[in-house]
Amino acid sequence: MKKFTFLLLLCQAMLFAQKPIFTSAKIKAATVYFNSAEMMQTASVLLPKGTSEIVINNVADFLNENTVKIGAPANVTVLSVQFTNDYVSEYAIDDNNPAIKKVRDSIRIVEKEIQKINIEKVSYSKSIEILDKNQQISGVNSGLNVAELIKMIDYYKSKRTELSYYFNVLDEKVEKLNEKLSRLNTKLEINTQKEDKSSKGKLVLQVMNEVAANVDFDINYITPNASWSPFYDLRANSISEPIDMMYKAQVAQTTGVDWKKIKLTLSSGNPNQNNQAPILNPWFLKYQNNDNGIGYGRKKEFDSVTVLAKGMMMDKSLQSSSVSNYTTIVENQLNISFDIDIPYDILSNGKSHSVALKAIKLPATYKYYAAPRVEKEAFLLAEISDYAKFNLLQGEANIIFEGLYVGKTYINPNQTSDTLSLSMGRDKKIVLKREKVADKSGTKFLSSKKEQTFTFD
């Protein structure tokens, strides 16, 4: 008997050990690239000693599994990590969720009450059955006189009515409890859907712990469902003042996880591109044989080019405003990043969120430019010299000149010129004409050649 009890307890312990431990990851920071994002999350788990399976909810719906990094204390060994958005288990619902736990407790109470009433109904039903049988026996007993028979009928009628009444009352109670149970099951289903609605992504970890303790995990991974793009607001009050430029970003994400009060970093890097350095092989050129059968061989080898990059540099020369005080622009060897100290909320709905990065005073010189053959209007250009120090990226810009919205322009800092020209719009006050000068245009014939001259004012 003792051996049997020990084996039973051992089997129960093994079954308990196999039950996965559920927890939810919390988002604390995100680095957003032009076409992806690195998400940094944390998860806390109370781990027993030994080997455990942990299911971490609330991670991105889709992620690059090769980029998953799990940080754990020294006494915890992460044996394996698996990503899934279709986790199936008999324990798939987190019983520690307060809303789900409350509903499940209520369901258990109602089910016990229904079970208790059903037992009472059986008792009343058996009593009625015995009473009916006893009435039949008494009815055939010829030893009863009329007075005793009337007394027996009255007792039977009263008792039968009483038992039937209580039986019907219990029936009504069971019916109401079943309605309540149905509502609770519906509520449980809704709460379960709410739990799953946060995100479908899950990380399944196999870990080994040396001692039972509460363990904090750091979770990092790359997800493709986020992006940002730079854009600008350019304000110029007059051609004698510098341009007030507001450096902005449009950020959107559909990771399945709402970003609430997170530290946000925007980067111009691309973690998804191939980072294998190319190898430039020799290129061999040779002439093919001509009609005379004479062949010539030639070999040309091209050398690779090495570009020395600057080290990390932080630009502190920009004039700052209240927005600028919360953004640090860092230019390193491979990209530009914007570290924002203000906590941001960006929901997983795909809608663009405008994020102010930096307010900059751009010293500019102005000039008019015209190309009458293409456009018969003059354009006001603002020229920015030494623009590299402002860490500009390609993007659209809204132009507000002298308090009026003029339209949009495009900033392209990826050019070879050391001066950046920004088109501030058309000046309607300047009228252009392009006319052909007849006496300076014409055609001349020189032996076998024809020369045409076009002259315009």
Side-chain angles (χ1 to χ4, degrees):
M1 183 65 183
K2 290 181 179 178
K3 289 182 179 179
F4 177 78
T5 305
F6 174 77
L7 288 173
L8 181 61
L9 292 173
L10 182 61
C11 291
Q12 289 177 346
M14 290 174 65
L15 288 172
F16 178 77
Q18 292 174 357
K19 181 177 179 180
I21 302 171
F22 288 85
T23 187
S24 290
K26 295 180 180 178
I27 179 77
K28 64 176 184 178
T31 298
V32 185
Y33 304 95
F34 289 146
N35 56 3
S36 59
E38 180 182 9
M39 292 175 60
M40 286 141 271
Q41 296 181 274
T42 58
S44 183
V45 186
L46 182 59
L47 283 183
K49 181 180 179 181
T51 304
S52 304
E53 179 179 282
I54 305 171
V55 180
I56 302 177
N57 298 314
N58 201 40
V59 300
D61 291 339
F62 299 97
L63 58 84
N64 185 345
E65 196 167 351
N66 295 327
T67 65
V68 176
K69 292 181 288 186
I70 305 293
N75 60 312
V76 177
T77 302
V78 179
L79 303 174
S80 68
V81 180
Q82 179 188 9
F83 168 75
T84 179
N85 50 22
D86 190 24
Y87 184 79
V88 178
S89 169
E90 58 182 314
Y91 310 107
I93 304 303
D94 186 3
D95 292 324
N96 294 323
N97 185 308
I100 294 177
K101 189 175 185 302
K102 184 178 179 181
V103 176
R104 286 199 163 184
D105 289 344
S106 299
I107 288 174
R108 279 192 285 267
I109 293 172
V110 172
E111 287 176 340
K112 286 182 180 179
E113 188 67 23
I114 292 174
Q115 186 179 12
K116 180 182 175 182
I117 292 176
N118 283 331
I119 293 172
E120 289 185 49
K121 283 179 64 180
V122 171
S123 299
Y124 279 112
S125 178
K126 292 295 183 183
S127 298
I128 292 173
E129 185 180 338
I130 293 172
L131 188 63
D132 289 343
K133 287 181 179 179
N134 186 59
Q135 176 64 19
Q136 292 171 3
I137 294 171
S138 300
V140 295
N141 189 351
S142 57
L144 293 175
N145 56 35
V146 175
E148 289 174 337
L149 185 60
I150 292 173
K151 186 178 179 180
M152 178 65 70
I153 291 172
D154 289 341
Y155 171 78
Y156 171 78
K157 181 180 178 181
S158 172
K159 198 64 180 175
R160 184 73 163 72
T161 302
E162 180 185 348
L163 292 172
S164 298
Y165 170 77
Y166 284 122
F167 188 87
N168 290 336
V169 169
L170 293 177
D171 251 350
E172 291 177 1
K173 284 186 177 180
V174 170
E175 185 177 351
K176 289 181 179 179
L177 286 171
N178 279 326
E179 291 176 359
K180 185 176 181 180
L181 184 63
S182 178
R183 289 195 300 269
L184 287 171
N185 282 322
T186 302
K187 190 174 181 180
L188 177 64
E189 185 178 352
I190 292 172
N191 285 338
T192 303
Q193 289 173 353
K194 284 181 179 178
E195 185 191 42
D196 294 339
K197 195 175 181 180
S198 59
S199 72
K200 295 180 180 179
K202 292 174 175 59
L203 288 175
V204 183
L205 276 60
Q206 300 290 335
V207 301
M208 185 170 63
N209 192 19
E210 295 178 4
V211 291
N214 194 68
V215 177
D216 294 326
F217 291 95
D218 292 323
I219 307 163
N220 285 28
Y221 54 83
I222 300 291
T223 175
N225 295 344
S227 63
W228 81 281
S229 58
F231 75 101
Y232 308 87
D233 282 341
L234 302 177
R235 294 179 179 270
N237 294 324
S238 69
I239 60 174
S240 61
E241 298 180 16
I243 297 174
D244 291 320
M245 184 180 78
M246 179 60 72
Y247 206 147
K248 294 183 177 181
Q250 287 183 326
V251 185
Q253 61 103 354
T254 54
T255 62
V257 180
D258 288 337
W259 298 352
K260 298 279 187 75
K261 305 299 180 187
I262 68 163
K263 186 182 186 306
L264 187 63
T265 299
L266 306 179
S267 174
S268 64
N270 183 7
N272 295 320
Q273 67 184 8
N274 181 11
N275 290 312
Q276 181 67 37
I279 298 175
L280 189 60
N281 293 317
W283 185 17
F284 296 95
L285 303 178
K286 64 179 181 180
Y287 293 109
Q288 295 295 326
N289 290 339
N290 57 17
D291 295 337
N292 297 326
I294 303 174
Y296 298 91
R298 190 175 180 185
K299 173 183 173 184
K300 179 68 175 177
E301 184 173 332
F302 295 90
D303 296 326
S304 60
V305 178
T306 302
V307 180
L308 299 178
K310 294 184 293 183
M312 184 174 289
M313 177 186 69
M314 189 174 294
D315 191 349
K316 293 294 186 181
S317 64
L318 307 183
Q319 295 191 22
S320 62
S321 68
S322 58
V323 174
S324 305
N325 291 336
Y326 296 99
T327 304
T328 303
I329 303 178
V330 179
E331 181 184 3
N332 56 33
Q333 293 176 344
L334 300 177
N335 56 63
I336 299 171
S337 63
F338 301 85
D339 295 329
I340 306 170
D341 294 332
I342 303 174
Y344 265 90
D345 289 356
I346 299 179
L347 301 182
S348 178
N349 54 16
K351 294 182 179 179
S352 294
H353 295 254
S354 179
V355 177
L357 300 178
K358 199 80 174 175
I360 303 174
K361 291 280 189 182
L362 293 178
T365 56
Y366 294 85
K367 72 175 185 181
Y368 285 100
Y369 170 82
R373 190 168 66 89
V374 182
E375 290 270 2
K376 289 189 171 63
E377 288 183 303
F379 292 80
L380 179 64
L381 299 184
E383 295 191 331
I384 315 296
S385 59
D386 197 18
Y387 61 90
K389 67 179 181 181
F390 299 119
N391 301 295
L392 304 180
L393 298 170
Q394 293 186 60
E396 281 191 340
N398 297 319
I399 305 171
I400 299 94
F401 189 72
E402 295 179 339
L404 297 176
Y405 176 75
V406 176
K408 292 182 179 293
T409 188
Y410 192 80
I411 294 179
N412 182 16
N414 299 330
Q415 57 184 26
T416 56
S417 173
D418 59 355
T419 302
L420 179 65
S421 294
L422 301 178
S423 178
M424 303 300 291
R426 304 165 187 257
D427 194 331
K428 301 290 186 180
K429 297 186 296 293
I430 297 179
V431 179
L432 299 179
K433 286 197 301 181
R434 179 174 182 267
E435 296 178 340
K436 186 177 180 181
V437 182
D439 58 353
K440 293 185 178 180
S441 303
T443 303
K444 293 181 180 180
F445 293 93
L446 302 173
S447 68
S448 62
K449 295 180 182 179
K450 183 174 75 171
E451 179 182 288
Q452 287 185 294
T453 303
F454 302 91
T455 306
F456 292 88
D457 279 343

